Amino acid sequence: MKLTRVLAGVSGVVLMGVGVSSLRDVHDLTGVLAWLGGAVVLHDGVIAPLVLLVGVVLVRGGVRGGAHGGVRGPVRGALVVAGALTVVALPVLLRPGPRANSSVLPLDYWGNWLVAVGVVAAVTALVVAGRWFWRGRRGRRAEGAS
């Protein structure tokens, strides 16, 4: 575990160095800093609290004390993945108006983002259904054995 943490830390520092070295070619650093600051504010002020709130509602709210029976982990994982997908997709989802060059960002990014989030939801539903199914089978086998 310690070696893994050290390797992750070293990799992070190396990647930060690559990012900082690429800033040498940027003529207007204020735009880059504004974008980075906006990303931090958007994540910490909007996306992270929203994901946490939905997680609390799904886990603690609902019928008779909330989601139990192997649902908490998959739901929380799905929320984290969907939040990360959203953060990565935001620059192309919120791009300004028409482009002068039609070959730049030519895809349907809203549709693709919805498909990706839908896949996350579908996989989560399959995992939850699988856990429910296998838990039910174990319970029925235990009842039959007694």
Side-chain angles (χ1 to χ4, degrees):
M1 184 69 157
K2 187 175 182 179
L3 176 64
T4 305
R5 288 184 181 183
V6 168
L7 289 175
V10 169
S11 300
V13 169
V14 168
L15 289 173
M16 285 190 295
V18 170
V20 168
S21 69
S22 67
L23 289 176
R24 289 182 292 174
D25 299 333
V26 175
H27 299 293
D28 180 25
L29 275 178
T30 57
V32 172
L33 294 176
W35 189 88
L36 289 173
V40 170
V41 168
L42 181 66
H43 177 270
D44 293 351
V46 177
I47 294 173
L50 185 62
V51 167
L52 292 172
L53 178 66
V54 170
V56 167
V57 167
L58 288 175
V59 171
R60 295 212 173 103
V63 180
R64 293 188 184 173
H68 296 290
V71 174
R72 288 181 183 185
V75 168
R76 288 177 179 165
L79 289 171
V80 168
V81 171
L85 282 170
T86 302
V87 168
V88 169
L90 274 178
V92 293
L93 294 176
L94 301 178
R95 70 180 184 265
R99 297 167 309 277
N101 183 349
S102 64
S103 68
V104 175
L105 301 176
L107 302 175
D108 175 20
Y109 291 99
W110 277 100
N112 293 340
W113 174 76
L114 288 172
V115 167
V117 172
V119 167
V120 170
V123 168
T124 304
L126 287 173
V127 168
V128 169
R131 287 184 176 191
W132 177 78
F133 176 75
W134 289 111
R135 180 167 288 149
R137 285 185 56 134
R138 278 189 297 185
R140 285 191 295 271
R141 271 192 265 152
E143 289 172 4
S146 18

